């Protein structure tokens, strides 16, 4: 589903009027068009299902047999951002650390970052970003053992309401052996601390 930029422009113009602004004044003339273009870019992930994202980034490579099911692949501190679906507020200074245990196939490391980026470009909740990344990676790589740890700040909490600018939120998503094996989870936490 493509974003209807013309409708966004019309609604932003109406929003400016509702806020008591003059959308025809010099500084605001192009604002509806700019906002529509921005939303098209920063919400690009809304155009795709998790399955379609998995298909986009499903190029994998055969794994060496002796390491199958034992090695943890971890890409940490991937910068992402998103927009909270409750307030349309920016979730910022977010990092995602994503791990998986290959099961015969490995994925290019940049694909992991691309999956995180595309999934976050939606109206989201931080918890769902983790679940969506896990779901996409599981399908793309064909494994069940995935962990996603996300840390981020939320402007709906830092810039409005309670205004706690130092607060950050950490969410974890564990699937497969990361969910059931404490030793494996502890190994992952040691890797994250390095």
């Amino acid at each position: 589903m493509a974003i209807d930029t013309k409708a966004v422009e019309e609604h932003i113009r109406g929003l400016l009027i509702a806020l008591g602004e003059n959308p025809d004044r010099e500084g605001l003339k192009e604002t509806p068009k700019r906002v529509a273009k921005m939303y098209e870019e920063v919400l690009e992930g809304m155009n795709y299902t998790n399955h379609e994202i998995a298909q986009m980034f499903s190029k994998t490579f055969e794994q060496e047999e002796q390491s199958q099911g034992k090695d943890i692949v971890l890409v940490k501190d991937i910068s992402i951002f998103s927009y909270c679906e409750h307030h349309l507020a920016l979730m910022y200074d977010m990092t995602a650390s994503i791990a998986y245990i290959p099961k015969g196939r490995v994925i290019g490391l940049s694909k992991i970052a691309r999956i995180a980026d595309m999934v976050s470009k939606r109206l989201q909740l931080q918890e769902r970003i983790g679940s969506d990344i896990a779901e996409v990676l599981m399908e793309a790589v064909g494994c069940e053992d995935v962990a996603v740890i996300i840390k981020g700040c939320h402007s709906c909490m830092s810039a409005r309401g309670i205004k706690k600018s130092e607060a950050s939120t950490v969410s974890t998503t564990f699937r497969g052996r990361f969910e059931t094996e404490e030793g494996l989870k502890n190994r992952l936490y040691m890797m994250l601390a390095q």
Side-chain angles (χ1 to χ4, degrees):
M1 172 187 102
I3 293 172
D4 184 344
T5 55
K6 288 297 177 201
V8 172
E9 285 181 42
E10 290 171 23
H11 290 289
I12 294 299
R13 182 175 171 76
L15 178 62
L16 290 170
I17 293 167
L19 292 172
E21 272 290 356
N22 174 5
D24 296 318
R25 77 171 169 83
E26 186 61 33
L28 293 177
K29 281 182 186 175
E30 298 296 318
T31 296
K33 187 180 288 268
R34 284 191 295 266
V35 171
K37 187 174 174 78
M38 178 196 72
Y39 279 150
E40 190 174 40
E41 176 186 337
V42 301
L43 299 176
E44 177 187 8
M46 292 176 65
N47 295 321
Y48 307 103
T49 65
N50 284 350
H51 172 71
E52 289 168 330
I53 294 171
Q55 295 299 304
M56 272 189 253
F57 303 117
S58 64
K59 173 74 172 147
T60 60
F61 306 93
E62 195 170 325
Q63 181 190 26
E64 294 180 19
E65 196 170 315
Q66 67 270 20
S67 60
Q68 289 187 24
K70 300 176 194 154
D71 295 341
I72 297 174
V73 176
L74 169 65
V75 179
K76 63 183 193 174
D77 301 326
I78 302 166
S79 295
I80 59 173
F81 70 89
S82 192
Y83 286 86
C84 164
E85 67 183 30
H86 295 154
H87 300 97
L88 302 184
L90 183 63
M91 293 188 276
Y92 62 98
D93 288 342
M94 292 180 80
T95 58
S97 296
I98 303 167
Y100 75 104
I101 300 173
K103 187 179 173 183
R105 309 284 304 166
V106 294
I107 192 169
L109 300 178
S110 69
K111 298 291 190 277
I112 295 172
R114 290 178 192 279
I115 289 168
D117 190 54
M118 188 63 78
V119 163
S120 66
K121 288 183 173 180
R122 298 171 169 167
L123 296 177
Q124 275 285 26
L125 299 175
Q126 182 172 322
E127 301 88 341
R128 189 179 320 117
I129 294 171
S131 295
D132 286 351
I133 290 170
E135 181 181 315
V136 171
L137 187 60
M138 289 166 66
E139 181 179 341
V141 181
C143 71
E144 303 84 32
D145 308 315
V146 174
V148 181
I149 298 95
I150 299 174
K151 181 179 180 181
C153 298
H154 297 240
S155 62
C156 55
M157 189 168 161
S158 65
R160 59 157 300 279
I162 192 141
K163 296 181 183 153
K164 298 299 181 191
S165 61
E166 300 302 315
S168 62
T169 301
V170 177
S171 58
T172 59
T173 303
F174 297 120
R175 300 290 186 263
R177 291 171 51 202
F178 285 109
E179 191 171 21
T180 59
E181 295 181 23
E182 285 302 313
L184 190 62
K185 200 180 298 185
N186 291 335
R187 194 168 135 210
L188 173 64
Y189 282 131
M190 286 189 339
M191 291 171 71
L192 287 165
Q194 295 177 349

